[in-house]
Amino acid sequence: DVASLVVGRAKDFLQKVLSNRLVRLLFYALLGLHLFVTLIFVGYTLGTSLSDYTLQPHGLSYNMKKDTHPVAQFNCADHGGPLDPQEMVYWSDIPGDSSYVSPLAPPSEASEKFLTMEPDFAGWNNVRMSFETALVMSIATGRTLVLPPEQQMRNTVNGVNSQVFGFHEFFHLDAIMKENKAFKFVTMEEFLEKEGLAGRLREKHSNIIIYPPGNATYWRVPRNGIGQYFPLFEYLRSVAITPEWDATKCALGIPRSKKAGSIEELHTTFHSIMDGSYGKSTPTLEEFVDNPTKVNASIADRMREMLANRKQLCFYDKQLQQAKVIHLRADFKVRLLSHFYAFLFFADWKQDLWSKRFVRDHLRIRDEISCAAARVVGAVRDRSRNNHQQRNASSPEGLYDSMHVRRNDFEYQYRSTQLSADKLYSMSKGKLEKGSVLFIATDEKDKGFFKIFKKKGHDVVFLDDFLPLLPNTNPHLYPIIDQLIASRSRVFIGTYWSSFSGYINRLRGYHVTKNKLKGHEKGTMESWYFSNHEAMRSYQPVNGQVIWGREYPTGWRDIDHGFDELMQ
C-alpha cells in the first residue's frame, strides 16, 4: 500500500544519508547536543544546585525593592501615591517588642534548630493563614523558619492560577528580621546547602545521614503545579519530626520556659480543667459568648476559653524541643489550616499578646500593594462625597459600604452561602446606608448579577472601575487590594466560611482596636455575614469546628495590654 511504500523509501533515504561518514558524525553530534540541553533543562527545573544563583522575585508586585525602611513607616511617595495614606495604617510601633526573644530559643547559633513547612495547597488566604501559624510557631519555639520554595497562588483572578511567588513579595520579611531579635528565616536553598549537603540531616528512624534528592538545593515549581516539590517534601518529612496536629481538635501548648516543671504546668492545668478539679465546669462555647476572658487571666482561665469545644491539648514537649528540625505537612491527611492565635496557646499571657502584636505590627502587606489600595480608597471616598447630594446619602465624609460575595467554587463547597441577588439584597438592605457607594469584592464574572443594588439606589463599584489607578500592578494582586479596600468601609458584609472575608474582618478589627471605635472593648465591629448574620456582632470564642471559616476577636482584642511588662 501507499503507507508501506512511503516508509520503505524513507528508510532507504536515511540509510543512504547515514552511510556518509561526515553526515553520520554531524547527526550524532546534534543528537548529543540535544540530550545535553535536555539534561540541563531538566536539572534546572527539578532543582539543580546552582552555587552562583541569586534568588530573584517573579514580580507579582511592581518595582519591588529591598526593604530599607522600618516596617512601621508607611510612605507611598515611591509607589505612585497617595500623598497621605495614613488611614490604611492599623499597626503600631512598639520599640520594646523588638527586643523580645523566646525563652525556648537555643543558647547559641551552634545549636540552631529549624522549622520547615509545606505551604497550603488552596488559595492565597489559606496559604497566608498557614504561613502566619508557621512563622509565629517558629518564633515561639526559638527556631529558624525555613521559607518554602516559591509556588503558584490559586484562585486569584477568575480562578486562574498565578505565576510563582515567594512570601517576600507580600511581606517585608527582610526588614522584619532586621528589626526583631526573635525572628530569623533562611531560604530553602540556604537550608539545604547548610544542613542537607553538609551531611547534618539524618533519617529520623535509622539515624543515617541522607542528602537532598539529587543533591539539589534549588527547587523551582513550573506553571503546571506543585507536584515537582513532592520529592523535596518527602525528604523533609524523613529528616524531621512531623507532628500530625489537628487544630480542630487540639490547641498547641507552649510552655513559658525551658525550666523544669513548665511542661508539667500545662499538663496539670489541662487535666484539672477536663476533670473538673479546677473548680469550674468543663468549658463550652456558650459560656464565653459576650463574656471574654481577661487577656492577663490565669493560665487555667485562658486555657478554658482557648479550648472551649476542643477536648485536647497538644504539647511542645521535650522531644519536640530537642528535635533539630520540625516539619509541618500540608496534605489531605494533615493540614494545619488555622489562625495562629486559634492554635497556639501560651502559658505566659505576655508572650501570647506579643505574638498577636507581632503579626499585626510586622506581618503586614507590603507598601507597594497597600499604596495601590490607598489610591482606590481615596477615589471611592471622593466618589461618595460627589454623590452625596444627588443620592441623599449621609456620607459627606466620603463613607462607603462594602461586601464580599464569594461564588463559583463555593457553589459546590458551601451551598448555603450561594444566595440569589434578591436574597443578598434583602439580607443586607438594613445595614447599608441608603444610596451609599457600595464597593463589591467578588469572583462573580457577571457584574450584572448585582443590578438589584443599583436598582435600589446604590452606586455600585468594583475594583475594575479603578484600574487606571493601578498601572503596572500585577492582576494577581487585585484580590489583596480588594481586601484592603473593604477593610476601610463603614460597614462590611461577607461570605461565611471564606477566609477572604475573614481576613477583611481581622483588618477591620485591628482598625477598631487602634482607633478605639465602637465595639473595641469586646473586639466587635460593624460587620455582618449573609449567613450566620450576627457572627461579628458579639464576642465569640474560637470554635474548633469553624476554625478557618471566620476570624475571632481574641486575635485583636486588647492585645496592647501590658506591653511594657513583656521584658520584666
Side-chain angles (χ1 to χ4, degrees):
D1 58 6
V2 175
S4 300
L5 181 62
V6 171
V7 171
R9 290 184 176 180
K11 285 182 178 180
D12 292 340
F13 175 76
L14 284 175
Q15 287 175 353
K16 289 181 181 179
V17 170
L18 292 178
S19 65
N20 185 300
R21 186 168 179 270
L22 181 61
V23 173
R24 190 164 60 249
L25 288 174
L26 180 62
F27 172 79
Y28 288 131
L30 290 174
L31 180 61
L33 178 63
H34 172 74
L35 290 173
F36 176 76
V37 171
T38 300
L39 287 172
I40 290 294
F41 174 77
V42 171
Y44 175 79
T45 303
L46 292 178
T48 301
S49 176
L50 301 175
S51 59
D52 60 346
Y53 177 78
T54 301
L55 186 64
Q56 298 290 337
H58 286 266
L60 278 183
S61 54
Y62 67 96
N63 297 330
M64 192 176 75
K65 301 177 180 178
K66 187 79 172 178
D67 293 323
T68 57
H69 66 77
V71 178
Q73 291 183 7
F74 181 46
N75 189 309
C76 294
D78 294 334
H79 305 296
L83 294 177
D84 184 12
Q86 295 308 306
E87 81 155 289
M88 306 302 293
V89 175
Y90 55 76
W91 52 89
S92 298
D93 184 10
I94 304 177
D97 277 359
S98 63
S99 300
Y100 168 79
V101 176
S102 169
L104 301 179
S108 67
E109 190 170 318
S111 53
E112 186 176 18
K113 293 179 170 61
F114 301 90
L115 179 74
T116 60
M117 65 171 291
E118 298 170 21
D120 195 79
F121 45 82
W124 160 246
N125 284 284
N126 288 355
V127 172
R128 171 194 51 76
M129 191 189 310
S130 64
F131 178 68
E132 289 176 344
T133 300
L135 185 148
V136 174
M137 189 185 302
S138 73
I139 295 175
T141 59
R143 293 177 174 274
T144 296
L145 177 66
V146 180
L147 298 181
E150 296 172 314
Q151 68 175 103
Q152 286 181 312
M153 181 165 59
R154 287 187 56 226
N155 300 333
T156 48
V157 178
N158 295 326
V160 178
N161 289 354
S162 76
Q163 59 200 96
V164 294
F165 75 94
F167 288 107
H168 281 89
E169 299 179 59
F170 301 98
F171 306 114
H172 296 282
L173 294 183
D174 293 303
I176 295 171
M177 183 167 67
K178 181 179 179 181
E179 292 181 18
N180 291 270
K181 293 182 178 180
F183 176 53
K184 181 180 178 181
F185 74 86
V186 295
T187 65
M188 183 61 70
E189 293 76 31
E190 292 170 330
F191 171 72
L192 293 175
E193 287 177 3
K194 179 181 177 181
E195 302 295 328
L197 293 184
R200 295 174 180 166
L201 299 179
R202 296 175 178 269
E203 203 280 329
K204 59 188 174 186
H205 299 298
S206 66
N207 203 36
I208 296 174
I209 293 175
I210 57 175
Y211 297 92
N215 286 336
T217 60
Y218 173 57
W219 293 77
R220 180 179 184 273
V221 63
R223 277 191 163 273
N224 61 353
I226 200 170
Q228 291 191 184
Y229 286 164
F230 291 163
L232 171 63
F233 293 158
E234 287 300 321
Y235 172 72
L236 295 173
R237 294 179 187 186
S238 68
V239 299
I241 287 185
T242 310
E244 296 190 359
W245 291 316
D246 183 347
T248 67
K249 297 179 180 178
C250 83
L252 178 63
I254 306 294
R256 65 177 73 244
S257 72
K258 296 178 183 177
K259 294 179 180 179
S262 292
I263 298 175
E264 183 60 29
E265 177 189 29
L266 288 167
H267 277 279
T268 300
T269 302
F270 170 70
H271 290 299
S272 71
I273 290 172
M274 291 296 108
D275 64 20
S277 61
Y278 173 61
K280 295 183 179 181
S281 60
T282 304
T284 63
L285 289 171
E286 293 72 23
E287 176 184 349
F288 303 101
V289 173
D290 263 342
N291 183 33
T293 303
K294 291 183 178 179
V295 295
N296 62 342
S298 68
I299 181 175
D301 282 341
R302 290 185 299 108
M303 188 184 292
R304 289 185 77 254
E305 180 179 330
M306 181 68 159
L307 294 174
N309 63 340
R310 290 179 284 187
K311 305 304 179 186
Q312 301 175 28
L313 185 69
C314 300
F315 300 92
Y316 187 64
D317 56 21
K318 283 295 183 184
Q319 181 190 18
L320 291 174
Q321 291 180 34
Q322 293 170 359
K324 183 181 182 68
V325 184
I326 292 177
H327 179 68
L328 303 181
R329 288 171 53 180
D331 53 38
F332 290 105
K333 181 180 179 183
V334 180
R335 187 184 185 193
L336 195 57
L337 188 59
S338 169
H339 310 299
F340 68 95
Y341 60 79
F343 179 61
L344 300 174
F345 175 80
F346 292 83
D348 187 335
W349 64 268
K350 295 187 290 294
Q351 296 174 28
D352 174 53
L353 298 186
W354 181 91
S355 72
K356 294 170 182 175
R357 290 197 299 272
F358 180 88
V359 172
R360 179 195 67 187
D361 298 341
H362 293 91
L363 206 62
R364 66 173 185 83
I365 299 298
R366 290 185 63 95
D367 285 0
E368 45 268 57
I369 307 172
S370 298
C371 290
R375 293 195 295 274
V376 178
V377 168
V380 175
R381 292 202 186 285
D382 286 344
R383 184 165 179 144
S384 178
R385 294 186 188 97
N386 294 336
N387 285 350
H388 170 53
Q389 291 185 343
Q390 70 182 57
R391 293 182 177 274
N392 194 31
S394 57
S395 57
E397 306 92 341
L399 301 180
Y400 63 95
D401 298 330
S402 70
M403 60 176 57
H404 168 232
V405 180
R406 179 74 173 268
R407 307 282 292 171
N408 295 324
D409 60 325
F410 263 37
E411 180 179 352
Y412 308 101
Q413 296 183 59
Y414 303 106
R415 295 294 297 270
S416 63
T417 67
Q418 300 305 284
L419 306 174
S420 67
D422 287 346
K423 187 67 173 178
L424 292 174
Y425 176 74
S426 68
M427 296 184 72
S428 59
K429 63 181 180 181
K431 313 303 177 189
L432 304 176
E433 193 70 38
K434 184 178 180 181
S436 66
V437 172
L438 176 61
F439 180 85
I440 300 180
T442 183
D443 60 347
E444 173 58 58
K445 298 177 182 178
D446 178 14
K447 298 303 191 294
F449 176 80
F450 300 98
K451 62 184 179 182
I452 186 173
F453 290 92
K454 290 185 176 181
K455 183 178 179 181
K456 297 296 183 178
H458 291 285
D459 183 10
V460 178
V461 294
F462 306 91
L463 186 62
D464 293 352
D465 298 315
F466 302 95
L467 293 186
L469 297 176
L470 307 177
N472 305 315
T473 300
N474 191 299
H476 292 291
L477 292 173
Y478 290 170
I480 300 175
I481 295 172
D482 265 337
Q483 289 177 301
L484 294 171
I485 297 167
S487 74
R488 301 306 298 127
S489 62
R490 184 185 68 88
V491 302
F492 170 70
I493 307 173
T495 301
Y496 205 70
W497 294 107
S498 167
S499 53
F500 185 105
S501 285
Y503 190 57
I504 292 172
N505 278 326
R506 195 208 297 176
L507 296 177
R508 292 173 67 80
Y510 288 150
H511 283 288
V512 166
T513 300
K514 182 180 181 67
N515 298 297
K516 298 292 188 292
L517 302 179
K518 178 182 177 182
H520 74 89
E521 299 88 350
K522 293 184 177 181
T524 60
M525 63 194 71
E526 297 296 294
S527 289
W528 288 264
Y529 282 106
F530 290 110
S531 56
N532 204 346
H533 204 52
E534 301 290 324
M536 303 305 298
R537 303 292 299 145
S538 62
Y539 180 89
Q540 296 189 24
V542 172
N543 183 340
Q545 304 309 309
V546 195
I547 205 162
W548 69 89
R550 53 159 295 178
E551 298 257 2
Y552 295 89
T554 187
W556 55 83
R557 173 187 163 269
D558 202 19
I559 62 177
D560 291 317
H561 183 96
F563 68 84
D564 53 343
E565 302 178 44
L566 180 66
M567 305 304 293
Q568 297 177 6

